[in-house]
């Protein structure tokens, strides 16, 4: 299993920062600021799940995908995180991680 922490595997904070930049750029679209705040809250909860079964599940599939196509894995996760607040709004970090895990598992060949 990967020894990477969830914060290293899933960049909720970086995506929140990007959304804050988009909020400045597109001030009339309130979804950017709302998404940034939501991603920030999810990021705060993320460390509490290090070592959890969800962490192990994601780490396992990340190892497999790193061998197959690491770029695609990072692109898919990035796309999912960028869609928070626009196409999906996970209520909890657990819900977000489950969705990420399911997406990554669907990519394993």
């Amino acid at each position: 299993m990967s020894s990477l922490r969830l914060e290293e595997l899933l960049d909720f904070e970086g995506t929140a920062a990007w959304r804050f930049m988009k909020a400045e750029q597109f001030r009339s679209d309130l979804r950017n600021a709302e998404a940034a705040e939501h991603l920030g809250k999810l990021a705060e909860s993320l460390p509490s799940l290090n070592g959890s079964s969800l962490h192990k599940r994601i780490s396992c599939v990340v190892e497999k995908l790193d061998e197959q196509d690491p770029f695609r894995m990072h692109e898919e996760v990035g796309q999912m995180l960028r869609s928070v607040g626009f196409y999906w709004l996970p209520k909890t970090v657990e819900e977000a991680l489950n969705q990420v895990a399911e997406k990554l598992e669907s990519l394993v060949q």
Side-chain angles (χ1 to χ4, degrees), residues 1-66:
M1 181 180 85
S2 172
S3 62
L4 294 176
R5 297 184 331 260
L6 284 166
E7 304 90 313
E8 296 169 301
L9 295 170
L10 308 168
D11 193 13
F12 282 83
E13 284 184 358
T15 308
W18 177 78
R19 273 283 166 222
F20 275 122
M21 286 185 352
K22 292 297 174 186
E24 286 292 316
Q25 186 178 5
F26 302 103
R27 293 178 187 263
S28 63
D29 191 346
L30 300 178
R31 295 176 300 172
N32 283 301
E34 292 167 357
E37 289 177 22
H38 192 69
L39 284 160
K41 290 177 185 173
L42 294 173
E44 289 174 7
S45 301
L46 199 55
S48 68
L49 293 173
N50 282 317
S52 69
S53 59
L54 263 174
H55 181 200
K56 292 173 186 168
R57 179 180 170 198
I58 290 172
S59 291
C60 225
V61 73
V62 163
E63 280 185 6
K64 292 175 186 173
L65 289 171
D66 267 346

Side-chain angles (χ1 to χ4, degrees), residues 69-109:
D69 188 354
F71 177 77
R72 182 164 183 221
M73 186 236 356
H74 291 290
E75 183 60 33
E76 292 287 341
V77 170
Q79 184 177 357
M80 285 188 78
L81 295 181
R82 288 188 303 273
S83 73
V84 168
F86 284 73
Y87 301 105
W88 68 300
L89 191 65
K91 292 178 178 61
T92 65
V93 72
E94 291 89 347
E95 180 182 341
L97 292 181
N98 272 311
Q99 290 291 318
V100 168
E102 286 177 17
K103 178 63 176 179
L104 294 178
E105 288 165 345
S106 75
L107 299 176
V108 175
Q109 299 174 4

